[in-house]
């Protein structure tokens, strides 16, 4: 079946009010490439001003707490992100799994909260270099899917991002063959878990996607888009990636 490609930026802890001017050309590219869904996950402080600046672009958060409210200093809830204008959030990014000790159960709960708020979730999974070199990559990633896929996941609100930890921000990428094998394994795991709905769930690739490698990576079987960190910070680099998905 045909799945619309989704290209999402992840600004991480980068950006400022001044940097939002980059979104103008990104929003224009999103309109020009109407066959591609384009999104940008900005820092929480920039969600509302980004939405105010480019109403047509899907702006999201990079994380939300699983709870709606309460004594969780420094966190934001899905409801808060939504009120600011976010349509989606990334959950389970490897930097949060590593830095904040987030577990698969945490990631699953966060994704379920997003669904309860009628928002979309991008659920991240990926192996470390040690795990890949030990031949454990597929086992690790499919176990993460088993434990972090939200209940009732459908393609309408849930996407998976396969991001090998060793490829994030390093300039290294897996071969097209390795990406195809992993995305195929993820699709098979989804089929085992949610049956025919698995065909509708988009599986994004993330990790050092650039204008130079985007076309090859985005046209690997079962790659339904990209989650892009560094190269999403400027329109000059992100727009060619959007175009490569079309
Ligand atoms: C990411 O942070 O999700 C990511 C893929 O980063 P980069 O594109 O910079 O490797």
């Amino acid at each position: 079946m045909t799945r619309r490609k989704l290209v999402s930026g992840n600004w991480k802890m980068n950006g400022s009010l001044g940097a939002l001017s980059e979104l103008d050309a990104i929003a224009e590219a999103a309109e020009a490439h109407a066959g591609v869904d384009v999104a940008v996950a900005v820092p929480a402080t920039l969600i509302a001003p980004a939405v105010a600046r480019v109403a047509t672009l899907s702006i999201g958060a990079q994380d939300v707490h699983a709870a709606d409210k309460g004594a969780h200093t420094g966190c934001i809830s899905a409801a808060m992100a939504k009120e600011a204008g976010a349509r989606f959030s990334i959950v389970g990014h490897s930097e949060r799994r590593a830095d904040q000790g987030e577990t698969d159960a945490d990631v699953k709960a966060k994704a379920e909260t997003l669904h309860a708020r009628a928002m979309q979730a991008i659920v991240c999974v990926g192996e470390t270099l040690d795990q890949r070199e030990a031949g454990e990559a597929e086992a690790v990633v499919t176990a993460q899917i088993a434990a972090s896929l939200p209940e009732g996941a459908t393609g309408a609100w849930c996407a998976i991002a396969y991001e090998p930890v060793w490829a994030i921000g390093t300039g290294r990428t897996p071969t097209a063959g390795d990406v195809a094998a992993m995305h195929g394994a993820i699709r098979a795991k989804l089929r085992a878990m949610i049956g025919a709905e698995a065909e509708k769930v988009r599986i994004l690739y993330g990790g050092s996607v650039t204008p130079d490698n985007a076309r090859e990576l985005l046209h690997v079987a079962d790659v339904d888009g990209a989650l892009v960190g560094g190269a999403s910070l400027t329109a000059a680099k992100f727009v060619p990636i959007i175009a490569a998905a079309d």
Side-chain angles (χ1 to χ4, degrees):
M1 78 162 286
T2 311
R3 291 172 290 269
R4 279 173 66 84
K5 292 238 189 313
L6 166 62
V7 176
S8 178
N10 171 16
W11 280 14
K12 311 192 188 195
M13 199 170 71
N14 297 295
S16 60
L17 288 173
L20 294 181
S21 58
E22 297 293 331
L23 297 178
D24 299 350
I26 294 170
E28 274 175 34
E31 282 180 39
H33 298 282
V36 180
D37 291 336
V38 180
V40 183
V42 297
T45 52
L46 294 180
I47 294 172
V51 171
R53 182 161 189 133
V54 284
T56 57
L57 196 60
S58 177
I59 298 295
Q62 299 170 11
D63 177 58
V64 292
H65 198 282
D68 277 341
K69 61 179 180 177
H72 304 290
T73 303
C75 299
I76 65 165
S77 69
M80 290 170 178
K82 183 171 183 173
E83 188 174 50
R87 299 187 204 172
F88 75 98
S89 182
I90 297 169
V91 290
H93 192 284
S94 61
E95 288 155 11
R96 293 200 61 84
R97 289 178 185 258
D99 297 352
Q100 273 76 34
E102 290 187 3
T103 65
D104 288 325
D106 294 330
V107 175
K108 179 176 180 174
K110 287 167 185 242
E112 288 170 355
T113 299
L114 286 164
H115 183 43
R117 291 286 169 185
M119 298 170 73
Q120 299 194 329
I122 299 177
V123 178
C124 299
V125 293
E127 82 284 359
T128 63
L129 188 57
D130 284 353
Q131 290 165 335
R132 175 155 287 268
E133 288 178 348
E136 296 166 355
E138 281 190 19
V140 166
V141 168
T142 53
Q144 286 177 327
I145 298 278
S148 53
L149 191 76
E151 291 301 324
T154 71
W157 64 273
C158 186
I160 305 293
Y162 167 57
E163 299 204 303
V165 177
W166 50 274
I168 295 177
T170 60
R172 295 180 61 189
T173 54
T175 65
D178 285 344
V179 173
M182 184 62 83
H183 281 234
I186 293 171
R187 184 81 60 205
K189 184 68 187 176
L190 291 174
R191 278 190 199 112
M193 292 180 72
I194 57 173
E197 187 62 28
E199 311 309 322
K200 299 183 186 159
V201 174
R202 292 183 284 196
I203 307 174
L204 317 183
Y205 168 77
S208 296
V209 177
T210 66
D212 292 336
N213 62 22
R215 189 161 296 279
E216 182 185 17
L217 289 166
L218 281 161
H219 291 88
V220 169
D222 274 310
V223 172
D224 306 311
L227 183 55
V228 184
S232 70
L233 293 173
T234 61
K237 288 194 175 165
F238 196 43
V239 166
I241 297 173
I242 295 167
D246 205 356

